Each structure stands twice: as structure tokens, then as C-alpha cells.
Amino acid sequence: MSRHLHRGTSGGRFSGNSQGFWDDSQMKERTENEDLDIIRKDVIWVANVKITAQEVLTSGSLTKRMMMLEEEQISFRSASLMFDGVEDYSHQIAEMIGLRNESNFIHVGVRTILDIGCGYGSFGAHLFSKQLLTMCIANYEASGSQVQLTLERGLPAMISSFTSKQLPYPSLSFDMVHCARCGIDWDQKEGIYLIEANRVLRPGGYFVWTSPLTNSQASLRNKENQKRWNFVRSFAESLCWDMLSQQDETVVWKKTSKKSCYGSRKSGSSPSICSKAHDVESPYYRPLESCIGGTQSRRWIPIEGRPTWPSRANPSSNELAIYGVSPEDFAWDNLNWNSAVRNYWSLLSPLIFSDHPKRPGDEDPSPPYNMLRNVLDMNARFGGFNSALLEGGKSVWVMNVVPTSGPNTLPLILDRGFVGVLHDWCEAFPTYPRTYDMVHAEGLLSLETDQQRRCTMLDLFSEIDRLLRPEGWVILRDTASLIEIARALATRLKWDARVVEIESNSNERLLICQKPFFKKQTN
């Protein structure tokens, strides 16, 4: 029996609860098995991505070659240790740092990793099981996209060019930066790409580079390669990176934890330290800087000095003061979102846990089971929605977006151990179509309409429709008047839509939508 919403209805409640949607006392607790979310990272449909069979068979980089073509599906071999070298590679990196294995990354302060040119996400897929969150970035590709296949596997990724502008992350955002044959010429443009990697790397963080260029034996036979390798090694030292180890084609550096290192360099050493005017927390469409950033930030805290995951998701009052956030506001935000997530799932459970096609490679599961793997939070604020999903046992990852039209809370989100990005919602989000299983936004419509914007609400909804997978969900919370406008737009897009009243605030409403799945008509 199909259980879709009735398109265009308004003013009703989803449940039969006469006390209203937000009454926790009437809500039944779900069992642990019902709350368990299933993530499949090893098999995807060929039809969902722009890659040909020939491209699958000929992909040859370190992380791309772990694919098998099986009729209409692509199988990633990360589930088979006999064929997959990613576990061995991750283990090697851990040993080079001085750890027993990659499971210990988290104990030395590593939680978030920026993977540049990530192949098809095998490195991040393996580390996901170790509670590590890996953000893949790569250029747009017309076919065989690294970003598209990584997202299709249910892993964090976004289109981003490392070589044109500063990345849309504040300074000191990641615990590790990883590049395995990622196509970046680190020795070019007087080391400016290394400076950008240093900017987004936290104090005490690790830079991991795997490249034939680092193979000292091979470099000795090629003077040009030796010259390039010597430049990178020397420049890394000028950035106050300490080379921990070099094995085969992999080198691991550790960024200094002490600001005093920069002052102890020789007088006139290059690169210089950025002035305050050039060292900003909102690097949106800013050119690459040739100076060392992040040294003046109050967030300069070595990764080994931060609480380990998951404790870092709940910063102390002293830590919150760094971001200008009061403990009371933060506590209220957490409480509000924990309640909201429970109610969202209570609201959606009869619909979201049934009548969905099984994922490729899965046996037919017994409902209820959760088909959500990722969520786009369009106005993330403190990252409270992300935190509440994790506390509620939902095995999803969240792309926390901080709109450029509002306060920049992205540093707090990233320091909590989540992933996120700055973005102007009058522009296309840097990803492929049909990327997210759920799109969520609280207060975004109010935020955008309060600004003198160059785009309309229809533009915004068209972009949401582009990002959302068929049968994906949209949850919007805003003022009653804006939600009514949004409902009309959702109907125009042929989404199933319904407005839900919120008893605790008569001026706010929820808009719950589901994007239908239209099958191509055959003649």
C-alpha cells in the first residue's frame, strides 16, 4: 500500500494526537532496532552516476581502482579485505604517526579529515567505521565524478577547486589533510597551495601526501622530480611542519602546535604571517593568500588539547565563549533539537520506514528501516540538528550549511566535530543533482526574505528540488505566512506537501514535503 502525502493539503496534523505534534507525553518510544539507520557504502546503481563501464574498468588511481562492475551495479571492494588495500594504507598512516592502528586516530585528536581528490571515497568509507568523518573535495567532472560517486555511496563530498580560491572553510577547520595522488602540484606558485592546506589544518594536525614524487629512490633518477620534492620538503619546514615519517610514496607531516615556531624562524623568512585584515573566518570567494593564516585566531588550540570525540560535540562554557555563545543559548538549542528530532521521526515513521525500494545489494529488510543516509541542513546555526540526530542514534551524516547572509557560526560547527560549509543560497550549491535524502531548514525563509536578495523563493525551491533525491524529504520550519507561500511553491514543483501546526508557537509552522519518483514513460 502506498503511503504518500496528499499534495497541497494544509493546516492539518500528521498524527491523530489531539494534543498536537509537540506533545512528548503522547509519543511512543521507538525500539533501538527501529531507530537503527542503515548505511550502504559498498554498492551503488550505475544508472545513478555519470560513469561508463569502460571508465570503471580502467580507473587506476590508489582509491579509484577498488571497483567492480556487476551488471547494473558498481561494487566497491572495501568490504573485502583480500582485495582492498585501503585498510592496509590507513594502517600504514597510523603507524607512521606512531599509533597502533587507524582506530587510534580519534584518541590523538583526529576526528575530521579533508580528503583532496578522494578517488571514489574508499579512504573515507573505511574511516567512517572508526568514527572519523572525511570530507571529499574534487573538481567538477563531466563523467566519472569522484564527488558524485562518493555521495552516492552515502559519504560526505562536495565540488570544490583547491587551486583557484580559498576553500569555503574557516582557518583551523580539519584535523588531517589527505592527498593521495590528488593531482595538486604542491610545488607550484611558490607554495601557495601548501599555505592553503596549512590554513585549514588545525594546530598539531597531520598532512598526509602520497605521490610518486615522494619516493626518494625514484626521485634520485629524475633531477626535475628531485627538485620538486626538495621544494615541498623545504617549504613544509618553513610552515613549521615536522616530518614524522616517510615510507614508500607516503609522507606524514605534523603541523606545529606552538605559534612561537613562526617567530623563531630566520628574520625575513617566507611565507610571512597574515595581517589581521587578511586572516578572516569567512573565506567565501576570497583569493588564495600567500601568508600564513590562523595564527591570530582564538581557536588556535592543538588537536591533542581538544576533547576527543564524541566529547568535543558538547563544548564547555569556556570553549563556547570563544565563539561568543552563551551556555544558556547552547543548552536551549540542544534541548530544542533533541525534542524536534524525536518528533520529526515520530511524524515521518509511518511513511519513511516503508514502501521504499531496497538498496542495491541489500536483502529485502523487514520494515521499519530508515532510508536516510545524508541530510542537508540549509541553516545550521550551532549544528544542533546534526548533534540531535547523532544522539538519537541516526546513522546519517549532515552537511551543515551556514548562509553567508547570516552570522558565521561555521567555526563552532566544525570544532564540534561535524562537517559544514559557507554558502550563498542565491547560488547553486556545489554538488551534483539528486544528492541528498533529506533537506532541512529552520528559519531560512525568514533569513533570506529579510535580506535585499537577488533571487526569489522560487529560485531557492528549484535548487532544493535539484539537490533532493526522488522520494526524498523536505522539512521547513518558519513563520506561518512564509510556510504558506512555501507550500504553494512545493505544489508547483509537484511535491507532496502538508503544513503541520506547532502548538508551542502559534506563529510557526512546519512544512513537510516528499519529492515524488517519476518513472520514465516507455512508448
Side-chain angles (χ1 to χ4, degrees):
M1 180 177 67
S2 178
R3 295 181 180 176
H4 293 284
L5 309 180
H6 297 291
R7 182 179 303 121
T9 58
S10 65
R13 299 181 181 88
F14 269 68
S15 68
N17 179 357
S18 61
Q19 299 300 314
F21 173 60
W22 294 110
D23 189 345
D24 289 341
S25 64
Q26 297 292 323
M27 190 174 67
K28 293 182 179 180
E29 293 294 327
R30 300 183 58 80
T31 67
E32 182 176 341
N33 288 335
E34 289 173 328
D35 274 337
L36 185 62
D37 296 309
I38 299 173
I39 295 182
R40 299 301 183 203
K41 307 180 193 66
D42 303 325
V43 183
I44 64 174
W45 293 111
V46 175
N48 282 359
V49 294
K50 289 185 176 182
I51 186 169
T52 66
Q54 184 62 28
E55 286 168 331
V56 172
L57 296 173
T58 58
S59 59
S61 76
L62 177 67
T63 51
K64 286 184 181 181
R65 63 172 177 256
M66 310 299 177
M67 295 192 299
M68 297 175 63
L69 188 64
E70 300 174 353
E71 297 181 358
E72 297 180 350
Q73 300 170 5
I74 297 173
S75 172
F76 296 85
R77 297 173 174 177
S78 56
S80 174
L81 302 182
M82 285 178 57
F83 299 101
D84 192 350
V86 171
E87 182 174 14
D88 289 339
Y89 174 66
S90 304
H91 191 84
Q92 176 189 357
I93 294 171
E95 289 184 331
M96 293 172 73
I97 291 174
L99 304 174
R100 183 175 181 181
N101 55 49
E102 62 272 31
S103 297
N104 291 321
F105 278 146
I106 209 157
H107 301 306
V108 294
V110 176
R111 157 65 179 172
T112 54
I113 299 166
L114 182 67
D115 195 0
I116 305 164
C118 62
Y120 296 143
S122 295
F123 185 62
H126 174 66
L127 295 181
F128 195 92
S129 64
K130 313 297 181 184
Q131 300 186 60
L132 303 176
L133 204 53
T134 303
M135 170 63 79
C136 162
I137 60 169
N139 288 322
Y140 171 80
E141 298 165 275
S143 64
S145 163
Q146 302 175 66
V147 168
Q148 191 178 32
L149 268 80
T150 299
L151 285 163
E152 194 66 27
R153 296 180 71 179
L155 298 162
M158 61 180 284
I159 299 168
S160 184
S161 174
F162 196 87
T163 59
S164 58
K165 303 285 185 181
Q166 285 189 343
L167 298 174
Y169 315 115
S171 300
L172 319 180
S173 293
F174 294 93
D175 305 315
M176 178 182 288
V177 175
H178 174 258
C179 161
R181 301 185 182 181
C182 63
I184 304 296
D185 294 324
W186 297 106
D187 60 304
Q188 298 300 304
K189 295 190 177 181
E190 300 180 325
I192 199 167
Y193 305 142
L194 286 169
I195 294 173
E196 176 65 359
N198 180 78
R199 184 185 70 82
V200 299
L201 191 60
R202 290 194 174 98
Y206 302 94
F207 182 82
V208 181
W209 184 29
T210 297
S211 167
L213 201 66
T214 67
N215 188 316
S216 56
Q217 295 301 318
S219 293
L220 287 174
R221 295 191 294 269
N222 186 312
K223 289 185 177 180
E224 180 60 28
N225 284 350
Q226 186 177 11
K227 179 181 176 182
R228 296 177 64 192
W229 165 233
N230 287 339
F231 175 89
V232 172
R233 187 168 50 184
S234 175
F235 200 86
E237 186 177 346
S238 71
L239 290 172
C240 286
W241 291 2
D242 180 27
M243 185 190 290
L244 297 184
S245 183
Q246 180 178 4
Q247 291 183 19
D248 303 322
E249 295 185 351
T250 301
V251 182
V252 178
W253 284 276
K254 183 177 176 64
K255 179 177 175 177
T256 184
S257 298
K258 300 177 180 179
K259 298 180 187 179
S260 59
C261 176
Y262 301 110
S264 64
R265 298 179 303 168
K266 293 180 181 179
S267 178
S269 292
S270 180
S272 61
I273 304 298
C274 289
S275 67
K276 201 164 188 177
H278 287 81
D279 194 1
V280 297
E281 296 280 28
S282 301
Y284 196 68
Y285 277 119
R286 289 179 60 89
L288 290 169
E289 296 282 3
S290 58
C291 54
I292 297 173
T295 60
Q296 302 180 65
S297 174
R298 296 178 66 192
R299 296 171 49 241
W300 182 282
I301 302 171
I303 62 169
E304 55 267 26
R306 292 178 178 270
T308 55
W309 179 263
S311 297
R312 69 190 288 183
N314 295 296
S316 67
S317 57
N318 289 337
E319 291 169 323
L320 289 171
I322 295 174
Y323 316 97
V325 176
S326 72
E328 294 76 19
D329 284 348
F330 188 79
W332 180 89
D333 189 73
N334 274 347
L335 188 66
N336 175 60
W337 282 116
N338 286 335
S339 175
V341 164
R342 289 195 302 270
N343 283 291
Y344 285 170
W345 252 249
S346 176
L347 178 71
L348 297 175
S349 292
L351 303 163
I352 206 168
F353 286 93
S354 59
D355 298 328
H356 282 268
K358 70 185 181 71
R359 295 291 186 194
D362 289 356
E363 297 296 327
D364 289 313
S366 300
Y369 61 97
N370 184 9
M371 300 304 297
L372 289 186
R373 298 178 305 164
N374 62 7
V375 176
L376 179 70
D377 193 357
M378 299 177 70
N379 187 24
R381 202 166 179 249
F382 300 155
F385 186 47
N386 191 159
S387 178
L389 286 169
L390 294 179
E391 288 190 25
K394 309 294 184 279
S395 300
V396 301
W397 68 269
V398 179
M399 177 66 84
N400 295 283
V401 181
V402 174
T404 56
S405 55
N408 181 16
T409 55
L410 187 57
L412 172 57
I413 291 171
L414 295 172
D415 289 350
R416 294 184 72 182
F418 308 143
V419 292
V421 67
L422 291 168
H423 184 65
D424 181 346
W425 281 115
C426 280
E427 300 181 4
F429 193 73
T431 191
Y432 288 79
R434 300 175 300 281
T435 292
Y436 288 93
D437 300 329
M438 176 181 282
V439 175
H440 172 269
E442 183 204 27
L444 180 68
L445 304 181
S446 294
L447 178 64
E448 294 297 309
T449 54
D450 285 345
Q451 307 290 324
Q452 294 295 324
R453 306 298 282 158
R454 64 185 189 280
C455 58
T456 66
M457 196 181 295
L458 179 58
D459 295 327
L460 183 65
F461 270 66
S462 297
E463 176 64 0
I464 295 174
D465 187 69
R466 183 183 75 90
L467 299 174
L468 193 63
R469 292 180 182 275
E471 296 193 331
W473 295 88
V474 178
I475 301 178
L476 301 179
R477 179 174 176 175
D478 224 297
T479 63
S481 58
L482 287 173
I483 287 296
E484 188 56 34
I485 296 171
R487 185 200 61 79
L489 291 174
T491 303
R492 288 176 62 183
L493 291 169
K494 302 187 184 304
W495 295 350
D496 298 327
R498 191 167 185 179
V499 176
V500 179
E501 295 179 3
I502 300 173
E503 293 290 332
S504 62
N505 190 330
S506 60
N507 190 44
E508 286 194 339
R509 299 288 187 274
L510 281 180
L511 178 66
I512 311 291
C513 307
Q514 187 178 31
K515 179 179 177 177
F517 176 63
F518 294 108
K519 292 184 178 180
K520 186 177 181 180
Q521 298 296 323
T522 57
N523 295 329

